[in-house]
Amino acid sequence: MKHEIKPLIEEIPYRQRVWITGFLKTTISSGLIATGIVSIFAGIIDHPLLKGYHEIGILVGATSIGLSIILITFIDHYDEKKKKEELEIIDSKIEDKAEEVARKLVDKELEKILEECK
């Protein structure tokens, strides 16, 4: 009875995690932060103390930056959860591998004993 242990690369969905926590998080949060900063500066420049009345730009900017902070927090929480899952898989693999090695050593010793008995 052979017990086959799959490689970690097949067990851990690393590519999905990298795309979500790397590319997606960076792209969206950078866009939101840039929009927020531009909107805030535009709102300040057009503020009543200077000329015009565009406090909506400041509000949109602050909202955009707030959304980016929420997004980063959400994705970092997701990343932490997935990392814990990965570590659990690794621990499981280590235990499985240890059992496999122990089983092989026991089988080898049993074979020696059987050979000596003959």
Side-chain angles (χ1 to χ4, degrees), residues 41-115:
F41 282 129
I44 291 171
I45 290 171
D46 292 334
H47 198 271
L49 295 175
L50 300 174
K51 280 195 266 190
Y53 192 76
H54 292 111
E55 289 179 346
I56 190 75
I58 296 171
L59 182 62
V60 168
T63 303
S64 180
I65 291 173
L67 284 173
S68 68
I69 291 169
I70 291 168
L71 175 77
I72 290 168
T73 303
F74 177 75
I75 291 178
D76 283 346
H77 177 72
Y78 169 83
D79 187 35
E80 181 181 341
K81 180 180 152 198
K82 289 299 179 181
K83 187 63 179 176
K84 286 179 183 177
E85 289 174 9
E86 285 178 21
L87 293 174
E88 288 171 0
I89 290 170
I90 291 169
D91 283 345
S92 172
K93 290 291 180 185
I94 289 171
E95 289 174 10
D96 289 348
K97 195 65 173 173
E99 287 177 16
E100 181 182 324
V101 168
R103 194 175 306 114
K104 285 181 182 179
L105 289 172
V106 168
D107 288 346
K108 189 184 259 186
E109 288 300 316
L110 284 174
E111 285 177 20
K112 283 181 185 177
I113 291 171
L114 287 174
E115 286 297 317

